[in-house]
Amino acid sequence: MPLEKIDQLAREWLEEAGNRIFMSLEQSNIEVDTKADRNDLVTNVDKATERYFADKIAEHFPNHRLLGEEGYGEEITSLEGVVWVLDPIDGTVNFVEQKRNFAISLGIYKEGIGELAYIYDIIAGEFYFAKRGEGAFVNDEPIPALAPDKKLENALVIINTAAMRKFPQTLEVIRNARGLRLYGAATLEYMAVATGRADAYISANLSPWDIGAGKIIAEEVGAIVTRANGNPMVVTEKGDSFVASPGVHAEILRDYF
Ligand code: 2AM
Ligand code: CA
């Protein structure tokens, strides 16, 4: 199956899913449930969006697998074959409370290698895309490669509160940085680093669908993506995540971890 065909259909489905999500906000027909804890939300829109992709993938690519947050895909522990890693809505709390600052996230892996990635910030009208080896784009404009040698003292850092508790040394990182920013949607925090609006993002507990697309796009512009301790980050495993431009990544690892 050529990647061009997968790319073409993925874009069609993302556009259609984006329109449906936009309409659901316009019509205010959003039903909210909690999952693991009171801030872990899911809505009928998250579920309907993942269901839409699950049906489309099964129809067009019956031997591809879906790894999705809401469970319409399969139990997946390895990335054999072609795997669509989907978060139908990343930033569901923002979706419900702010009606913005959320995104659809889709990464497409072939034999474990990230080939295509899409993060669609519907309300901002920003469509991030990367194809392995061919660079990253936002709305078809190339995203420039990150500066390799930025210093923490000039850096904006994104560190979520769970990471502050898990890694108390991040409070020192914040003190020595130019400032702290928080967006509340892991994929958009990855894109903040990829586009240079921030220089580092550390999060304590992300799942495959939070990082599957962001990792591909961020690496394509030269960001370094690891676990907080610098170990490689395997997309199928939950855990902490540390993405930063090269100089800032090296400085934080060397001086704080
Ligand atoms: P989600 O909106 O898809 O759940 C901020 O909370 C960021 O962390 C979001 O990207 C959110 O993704 C992610 N996240 C991962 N696990 C979470 C959890 N248990 N509760 C809330 N947010 C979680
Ligand atoms: Ca989600």
Side-chain angles (χ1 to χ4, degrees), residues 98-124:
Q98 303 186 309
K99 304 195 186 322
R100 67 186 67 196
N101 301 323
F102 61 88
I104 307 175
S105 177
L106 173 64
I108 300 177
Y109 286 74
K110 195 170 175 184
E111 308 303 346
I113 296 169
E115 298 285 358
L116 297 165
Y118 312 84
I119 291 174
Y120 185 15
D121 179 339
I122 296 158
I123 303 304

Side-chain angles (χ1 to χ4, degrees), residues 12-119:
E12 276 175 29
W13 301 342
L14 284 161
E15 189 181 346
E16 173 66 20
N19 289 340
R20 293 182 187 203
I21 292 171
F22 187 80
M23 289 308 293
S24 71
L25 282 175
E26 291 276 285
Q27 295 163 355
S28 301
N29 53 1
I30 299 164
E31 298 152 23
V32 184
D33 271 320
T34 52
K35 295 200 287 189
D37 60 65
R38 69 187 179 85
N39 296 322
D40 189 6
L41 302 186
V42 62
T43 75
N44 56 320
V45 184
D46 301 59
K47 291 178 186 169
T49 303
E50 184 168 316
R51 183 69 188 271
Y52 169 77
F53 276 92
D55 290 347
K56 289 290 189 190
I57 294 164
E59 179 188 340
H60 291 265
F61 306 112
N63 58 350
H64 292 188
R65 296 184 298 160
L66 169 64
L67 171 53
E69 176 163 23
E70 310 310 339
Y72 292 100
E74 295 165 61
E75 282 286 317
I76 283 180
T77 51
S78 79
L79 290 177
E80 278 157 31
V82 179
V83 179
W84 298 55
V85 182
L86 175 72
D87 193 342
I89 298 182
D90 179 50
T92 301
V93 171
N94 291 348
F95 176 66
V96 169
E97 298 289 343
Q98 303 186 309
K99 304 195 186 322
R100 67 186 67 196
N101 301 323
F102 61 88
I104 307 175
S105 177
L106 173 64
I108 300 177
Y109 286 74
K110 195 170 175 184
E111 308 303 346
I113 296 169
E115 298 285 358
L116 297 165
Y118 312 84
I119 291 174

Side-chain angles (χ1 to χ4, degrees), residues 157-193:
V157 297
I158 306 168
I159 298 174
N160 77 347
T161 53
M164 292 177 198
R165 287 193 301 271
K166 188 170 173 186
F167 308 110
Q169 68 266 49
T170 55
L171 298 178
E172 280 305 297
V173 173
I174 295 165
R175 221 169 59 82
N176 293 320
R178 175 162 282 173
L180 174 70
R181 300 291 181 270
L182 285 174
Y183 300 92
T187 59
L188 297 179
E189 291 168 316
Y190 260 78
M191 292 306 92
V193 173

Side-chain angles (χ1 to χ4, degrees), residues 132-167:
R132 182 172 64 88
E134 296 187 12
F137 304 82
V138 56
N139 295 343
D140 296 328
E141 286 291 318
I143 302 173
L146 295 176
D149 50 3
K150 196 149 176 180
K151 300 254 185 302
L152 179 62
E153 63 183 6
N154 301 318
L156 291 174
V157 297
I158 306 168
I159 298 174
N160 77 347
T161 53
M164 292 177 198
R165 287 193 301 271
K166 188 170 173 186
F167 308 110

